[in-house]
Amino acid sequence: MAVLLLAEVSNGKLNEATAKALTAAELLSEPVDVLVAGERVEAAARAAASLDGIEKVLVADDPVYAHHLAEPLAALLVQLAGNYSAILAAATSTGKNVMPRVAALLDVMQISEIIKVAAPDAFERPIYAGNAIETVQSTDAKKIITVRTAAFAATGGGGSAPVEKIAAAPAPEVSRFKDETLAKSERPELASARVVISGGRGMQNADNFKTLIEPIADKLGAAMGASRAAVDAGYAPNDWQVGQTGKAVAPDLYIAVGISGAIQHLAGMKDSKVIVAINKDEEAPIFQIADYGLVGDLFAILPALNEELAKLGR
């Protein structure tokens, strides 16, 4: 048998989450095929074929998959499932939307947000907001898995897998695409950025995000994030939220500004390589996991940091 990985495609391009999920898929010790589904996805298919270790790339190029609706994608995966012992996807909004439906249609359990492959049938995943790690062993003939990509390095390139076009599966007409509003930004995408600077409730308002954090993010080439408290207060948009109910990130550098460090937030960023915390409360939980902690008034520290970066030519 083999393993099938659902590629993450955004605006016709292959998302880096695919290469990270591929690393997990390869640990199942079986050949890995990648499914690229969407509309006008030739470039994404070529990018997938260049990843190292892929057996072949299946391409379903059809308007029905243009907006990654769960029902048609799930129908396609179920149609292909007979040839595979496991189906994986990154634990992105698309993966979280599609894979539970696939598991239900196949009448098997889903194993969610794995962070380690302990054996081909055993996986580790965080529970209780990351405060405990659960090992799950599955006896299902087909395993449906989502991968927390922050826990895996991206597979390298250099591959040249064959590309095979496949027909669309009959789609259940139970949903339709109506509209979408896309946030446009010149900054890196939050989930894959090498540097992230996030603000919390201590920022006090949305203007402070713009005047204090944004200049530093621009100088560092960083993505901007926020705690749930800041998002709920209207200081930052929903797609900036980092944490258990937001995005999981693992950048090389994570700067937490005015964030106390509730366990829900820590669950989404504690895998960062280097964590810098800025908070006036020296007892804030964020300092327990920070590599560098700066106790002080963020309204004095951030302007000073911005000036120092400017002196360095940032």
Side-chain angles (χ1 to χ4, degrees), residues 34 73 198:
V34 172
L73 265 179
S198 291

Side-chain angles (χ1 to χ4, degrees), residues 71-158:
E71 292 83 3
L73 265 179
L76 177 62
L77 287 167
V78 170
Q79 179 173 281
L80 296 171
N83 298 321
Y84 299 99
S85 61
I87 302 175
L88 290 84
T92 59
S93 56
T94 297
K96 291 178 180 180
N97 195 23
V98 173
M99 299 302 276
R101 180 173 289 272
V102 174
L105 292 171
L106 293 175
D107 194 25
V108 297
M109 68 179 287
Q110 175 178 305
I111 306 170
S112 300
E113 303 218 19
I114 67 167
I115 59 172
K116 182 179 179 180
V117 178
D121 64 346
F123 312 90
E124 292 184 5
R125 59 183 298 272
I127 58 175
Y128 303 129
N131 284 307
I133 302 300
E134 176 184 62
T135 300
V136 179
Q137 185 169 26
S138 173
T139 58
D140 286 327
K142 294 192 186 300
K143 297 168 182 61
I144 307 301
I145 301 168
T146 60
V147 179
R148 180 171 286 195
T149 54
F152 295 90
T155 297

